[in-house]
Amino acid sequence: AAGQRQGRSNNYEVNGRYAVTPALGLGIAYTFTDARGYGINAAGNDMKTRYHQIGLQADYALSRRTDLYAEAVYQHAMGDGGVASIYSGDNSQLPSSSRNQTAATVGLRHRF
């Protein structure tokens, strides 16, 4: 439609992984997201929202095909009307009710 603005998000990420032992691996990731054009702010300009996200992971191999893992992610939103939304790619997940959100996952994985 004429005059309709298109949203755009740019992601920048730095991550690393370290093998503490052959069985234990630790990881960390930082992602910065710069989102623009997903609405109009009070001044009549494109809305701008920025997200800072950090994630930590530990993975322990029980065998060649089975491992235990734990992950934690924290996100902080800044800017026009932004709320944290760690899993924003999944429409079944609701965003946070605030600018901060934390998610944690633990699991046992077996590869067939």
Side-chain angles (χ1 to χ4, degrees):
Q4 185 174 3
R5 296 181 178 174
Q6 179 116 14
R8 179 179 176 154
S9 294
N10 291 312
N11 289 317
Y12 307 92
E13 182 174 332
V14 176
N15 62 64
R17 183 168 166 83
Y18 179 72
V20 178
T21 68
L24 177 62
L26 301 177
I28 186 168
Y30 168 76
T31 305
F32 173 75
T33 302
D34 184 19
R36 298 168 182 261
Y38 288 96
I40 305 298
N41 64 19
N45 301 316
D46 281 346
M47 291 178 72
K48 297 175 187 172
T49 307
R50 290 162 307 285
Y51 301 92
H52 296 277
Q53 180 172 301
I54 190 161
L56 302 171
Q57 180 188 52
D59 187 85
Y60 185 77
L62 298 172
S63 71
R64 201 176 100 236
R65 299 186 322 164
T66 305
D67 63 302
L68 295 169
Y69 65 90
E71 302 173 328
V73 179
Y74 168 77
Q75 186 182 86
H76 176 72
M78 299 168 48
D80 296 319
V83 294
S85 186
I86 291 174
Y87 298 113
S88 61
D90 182 351
N91 292 335
S92 69
Q93 300 295 319
L94 295 174
S96 176
S97 60
S98 73
R99 293 185 180 272
N100 300 298
Q101 187 175 38
T102 302
T105 305
V106 294
L108 172 68
R109 176 174 40 213
H110 181 75
R111 296 168 190 86
F112 292 94

